[in-house]
Amino acid sequence: MDPDSVVRAIWGKADTVLFIFAGAAAEFALNKAVDWLYFTGRLPADPLARLFSTVEYARRIVFAERAGAEQAIDSITAIHAAVEAKRGMAIPAWAYRDVLFMLIDYSIRAFETLERPLSPAEKQEVFAVFTRIGQRMGIPELPSSHAKWLQTREEHLAQHLEYSTFTADLYQQYARHLGPVRYRLLLQAQRVVAPLQVRQLLRLGRTPWLRPALFIYRYTQHLRFSKWARTSLLPDEYRQKILRLDIVPSAVAAAAG
């Protein structure tokens, strides 16, 4: 993609990436295909480790040259194929689309929450980049435009989400691995970025106290105090990994190559 792509701006900042996965963590827990995440046991055993594994793949794709991006996408496809072979059944195509749609939606929602509104052209670019990823993975029946995706996204949210025993267990794991303070921050972030259907099923509430703080954040995020406040809230064992999400795109691309 273009070196100045808005997708690289979105995925080149730790705070935005964390909000993307705060939203995805909520929706993953509700997805009717969440049993696939339990088949290997990796997600419930250590959701934070799974988060960073996913982040590393996503950033390799976003910041690599075409060949490197395609290699990363093919690796993801192979991993899923191996899981399907082990379980003896195929992951539903709609489940693949759901995950792809999450990346599109939360990339836009997180950036607009922390930075600024995106233009229609920028939203179309986010859609186009992740759609190319889905096409490389062989995911069928992908929408042809951001406008059509909006309608399909609403249909998926209405049809593919439910509160289940997997949902309850995943949230117990989030709480156990994050601790009480960070877990409450996760819930607040989810109240800000998650769609209405997700918030309702999880009973997250409507009035996040985090929103006023985010308004202040927009104007103070580059100050030393704001960066200290962020790092002080991160789990010690993952602090350096999260801070490395702020590495400039050229350095990430070189590492991925």
Side-chain angles (χ1 to χ4, degrees):
M1 69 187 74
D2 191 297
D4 296 324
S5 168
V6 69
V7 180
R8 288 189 170 185
I10 293 169
W11 283 83
K13 188 174 180 182
D15 294 342
T16 311
V17 172
L18 291 174
F19 267 74
I20 291 170
F21 279 91
E27 192 169 329
F28 263 127
L30 293 168
N31 194 278
K32 290 182 179 179
V34 71
D35 58 297
W36 279 94
L37 300 176
Y38 274 77
F39 178 71
T40 63
R42 290 181 61 193
L43 179 66
D46 193 342
L48 294 182
R50 183 64 175 168
L51 157 67
F52 284 104
S53 173
T54 306
V55 165
E56 287 167 5
Y57 271 106
R59 284 167 61 83
R60 279 178 60 192
I61 294 168
V62 169
F63 292 121
E65 297 299 325
R66 184 181 183 91
E70 290 179 345
Q71 183 180 20
I73 295 168
D74 292 345
S75 295
I76 295 172
T77 304
I79 290 169
H80 285 90
V83 173
E84 290 174 324
K86 189 173 182 179
R87 192 172 182 181
M89 56 191 298
I91 299 171
W94 59 261
Y96 279 110
R97 286 193 293 271
D98 281 347
V99 175
L100 194 70
F101 289 178
M102 286 184 215
L103 291 171
I104 296 169
D105 199 4
Y106 292 115
S107 292
I108 293 170
R109 288 173 179 269
F111 187 81
E112 292 192 325
T113 294
L114 295 175
E115 300 292 337
R116 60 171 176 81
L118 291 171
S119 69
E122 289 173 324
K123 291 179 181 180
Q124 173 64 29
E125 183 180 353
V126 174
F127 163 81
V129 167
F130 285 104
T131 296
R132 289 199 295 274
I133 294 173
Q135 291 168 341
R136 177 77 182 187
M137 292 181 67
I139 301 174
E141 300 177 17
L142 295 175
S144 58
S145 68
H146 179 258
K148 292 182 179 179
W149 170 81
L150 286 172
Q151 179 180 350
T152 308
R153 169 69 168 155
E154 288 299 317
E155 293 170 355
H156 276 231
L157 288 170
Q159 297 171 7
H160 300 162
L161 302 182
E162 65 179 1
Y163 191 96
S164 67
T165 55
F166 293 114
T167 310
D169 183 71
L170 263 181
Y171 268 81
Q172 289 176 1
Q173 300 308 319
Y174 296 160
R176 183 168 70 87
H177 284 84
L178 288 172
V181 174
R182 299 183 185 104
Y183 177 67
R184 293 184 190 281
L185 283 171
L186 171 67
L187 297 180
Q188 285 292 314
Q190 291 174 343
R191 287 179 184 177
V192 172
V193 299
L196 176 62
Q197 298 92 325
V198 173
R199 299 198 308 270
Q200 289 178 333
L201 286 170
L202 291 172
R203 298 180 179 178
L204 291 175
R206 298 181 179 179
T207 313
W209 52 255
L210 186 61
R211 194 176 293 279
L214 292 175
F215 178 79
I216 298 172
Y217 163 89
R218 287 191 179 190
Y219 299 97
T220 63
Q221 58 181 295
H222 302 297
L223 299 179
R224 182 177 298 177
F225 172 78
S226 292
K227 294 182 179 180
W228 171 85
R230 181 188 70 182
T231 55
S232 67
L233 292 171
L234 305 177
D236 291 341
E237 62 269 33
Y238 293 102
R239 188 170 298 172
Q240 291 304 314
K241 288 187 177 181
I242 294 174
L243 293 177
R244 281 199 294 272
L245 297 178
D246 281 326
I247 295 175
V248 295
S250 59
V252 176

